[in-house]
Amino acid sequence: MLENRRILLIVSGGIAAVKVPDLIRRLRERGASVRCILTKGGAQFVTPLTLAALSGDKVYQDLFSLTEEAEMGHIRLSREADIVLVAPATADIMAKMVAGQADDLATTALLATDKPVMIAPSMNVMMWTHPATQANLQTLKTREVKVVGPSAGDLACGEVGNGRMAEVPDIIAALSRFFQKSDGQGPLTGFRALVTSGPTHEPIDPVRYIANRSSGKQGHAVAAALAELGASVTLISGPTHEPDPGGVKVTHVETARQMMKACAEALPAEIVVCAAAVADWSVNAKEQKLKKGVKTPALNLTESPDILATLSQPGPSRPGLVVGFAAETENLIENAQLKRAKKNCDWVVANDVSPGSDTFGGDSNTVHLVTAESVESWPRLRKRAVAERLAERIAAYAERHF
Ligand code: CTP
């Protein structure tokens, strides 16, 4: 997807600039050409010589350089690219982009370009969460600027939180997705995917139900990420506050049984991802509201159908790749491996849902991808980034096996 793509890479002044040499190397390995603009701040972290050596091109730094202007005017520089990537994008350069400032070569090129722009923000967590930066981010998004990352984790400043520049593979994946989309297709074009998401509600009587803490954020993000890669996605969603992802067919259900039925109706599909936190038991629900009385009512529970296990059953219509999630509070990987074998699914995304893990309802997730061959531990990532990585892995699998 990156073959022959021309990337104008603007490196602004953040510690994550040290990841840029690796980014350039990986982009060029994939056949892209990279031309760099290095800001004064960026040059504090990475040298022009390194960037020039790795990109195989001159590095542009100075707006008022006669030689640079004579060789390549800054307007031409900003136009002779298929995309402008700002990595790392500091709070300062984001603010300047919003304000339309043009006081150096980088900001001038950004103002003068008629090409799509992608930013990979990188900064301290307080700077990232500051209302000014968040407002700037929203403005940039409304101007169609693509955003990759940041992720959560240890920051170079010693603090912990959101603000780490997206990892190199994630930036590459975002660029690939962008070009695929602009070509009107993706690696999963032509494939059908079925995704379950959210909790289920099991009624006790007309006003009460049993629920769980699932927010649906992860499952919805998986559906969106698969659609972004071109799959035709059906999302079967339990009750959540998440908006329906764009470009995805959504069926809303309430109970485990309804989810099972909707999944059966949505088949056939080549790819299934069961991210829903399906209630393990349903209640023999009363038709009338239970009234307080002398005797406290006992709940008569019946086991729900196991959707993942049902969809994984061997047979001619079994989807080619079935992925489950494992929500565990102890022995995470061991339990996930057991679950994979027991339910006969191909992969399990294991996540820790212990109190304090902030998995249920939170925006980030630390997961392990458990397959028959290996266990891959991913760093703590935004749920959207987890979904994008998973979709990438699914696309790679589909390319090899389907
Ligand atoms: N799952 C399902 N149908 C169910 C229960 C679970 O499809 N009735 C799926 C979930 O969507 C998830 C996987 O099975 O992909 C594992 O769910 P999890 O809640 O971790 O495990 P359980 O099977 O419920 O087992 P336990 O609660 O004993 O850990």
Side-chain angles (χ1 to χ4, degrees):
M1 253 307 135
L2 294 175
E3 186 80 37
N4 295 328
R5 307 290 185 175
R6 296 166 307 169
I7 295 162
L8 179 63
L9 175 58
I10 296 181
V11 183
S12 71
I15 183 72
V18 299
K19 293 186 191 167
V20 165
D22 186 38
L23 174 63
I24 298 173
R25 195 178 293 125
R26 308 277 165 236
L27 287 169
R28 293 198 67 206
E29 271 170 15
R30 285 165 176 76
S33 68
V34 183
R35 177 170 279 159
C36 296
I37 293 181
L38 182 61
T39 68
K40 263 205 185 100
Q44 301 293 321
F45 298 96
V46 63
T47 70
L49 204 59
T50 309
L51 300 187
L54 289 169
S55 66
D57 202 343
K58 184 178 160 47
V59 172
Y60 295 81
Q61 290 182 272
D62 195 353
L63 180 58
F64 299 109
S65 156
L66 260 184
T67 5
E68 285 179 15
E69 273 300 304
E71 271 174 24
M72 163 79 77
H74 62 269
I75 306 285
R76 224 179 97 204
L77 189 59
S78 71
R79 306 272 169 88
E80 278 193 3
D82 298 313
I83 192 164
V84 182
L85 170 67
V86 189
T90 57
D92 179 59
I93 203 161
M94 285 172 64
K96 284 179 170 162
M97 286 168 77
V98 168
Q101 249 173 279
D103 58 358
D104 65 1
L105 182 59
T107 48
T108 308
L110 281 162
L111 199 59
T113 191
D114 59 352
K115 292 298 176 340
V117 176
M118 182 182 286
I119 61 171
S122 164
M123 65 199 74
N124 162 271
V125 58
M126 297 301 280
M127 293 170 78
W128 174 248
T129 50
H130 194 287
T133 308
Q134 288 302 308
N136 289 339
L137 178 72
Q138 290 318 317
T139 307
L140 292 173
K141 282 185 177 172
T142 60
R143 293 183 196 160
E144 302 288 312
V145 170
K146 326 268 167 265
V147 183
V148 50
S151 59
D154 292 335
L155 302 174
C157 53
E159 291 182 19
V160 178
N162 234 334
R164 271 171 75 92
M165 188 171 84
E167 299 299 327
V168 168
D170 296 322
I171 298 178
I172 291 191
L175 286 169
S176 301
R177 271 196 303 279
F178 167 77
F179 286 120
Q180 264 156 358
K181 225 173 157 187
S182 65
D183 288 355
Q185 59 158 346
L188 290 176
T189 300
F191 292 111
R192 293 159 297 184
L194 168 63
V195 180
T196 68
S197 179
T200 62
H201 286 181
E202 306 300 330
I204 295 171
D205 67 15
V207 297
R208 305 179 179 94
Y209 58 84
I210 298 181
N212 60 64
R213 296 185 194 280
S214 167
S215 62
K217 283 182 186 169
Q218 188 63 82
H220 278 54
V222 169
L226 291 170
E228 285 252 316
L229 295 191
S232 151
V233 182
T234 304
L235 171 66
I236 315 292
S237 171
T240 76
H241 295 293
E242 286 298 292
D244 290 353
V248 168
K249 181 175 172 241
V250 187
T251 303
H252 295 274
V253 296
E254 204 182 318
T255 67
R257 271 168 220 290
Q258 290 166 2
M259 189 172 272
M260 180 71 254
K261 184 165 175 280
C263 286
E265 285 167 4
L267 289 175
E270 289 76 28
I271 299 154
V272 168
V273 181
C274 288
V278 185
D280 290 322
W281 298 281
S282 64
V283 185
N284 194 357
K286 296 281 177 261
E287 269 177 38
Q288 304 301 330
K289 186 183 165 198
L290 287 168
K291 303 297 281 180
K292 275 190 298 243
V294 251
K295 202 170 155 229
T296 307
L299 294 181
N300 187 4
L301 301 177
T302 317
E303 202 164 309
S304 306
D306 193 312
I307 301 169
L308 176 62
T310 308
L311 300 181
S312 300
Q313 271 167 14
S317 57
R318 185 194 189 277
L321 180 66
V322 185
V323 184
F325 272 68
E328 304 292 343
T329 54
E330 56 184 352
N331 303 331
L332 180 58
I333 292 176
E334 203 186 317
N335 282 341
Q337 282 166 328
L338 288 173
K339 224 167 243 181
R340 198 191 74 78
K342 191 172 136 202
K343 302 204 184 198
N344 195 38
C345 61
D346 302 293
W347 299 351
V348 164
V349 181
N351 49 189
D352 185 349
V353 292
S354 318
S357 67
D358 200 29
T359 303
F360 270 151
D363 287 321
S364 300
N365 208 351
T366 310
V367 307
H368 310 266
L369 182 63
V370 177
T371 69
E373 297 81 30
S374 65
V375 177
E376 216 182 273
S377 298
W378 296 355
R380 188 159 183 79
L381 294 168
R382 313 266 308 161
K383 286 185 173 170
R384 212 185 57 208
V386 169
E388 286 167 0
R389 264 198 198 197
L390 182 63
E392 291 293 332
R393 294 291 196 285
I394 291 173
Y397 183 91
E399 198 184 351
R400 282 198 313 272
H401 294 91
F402 296 167

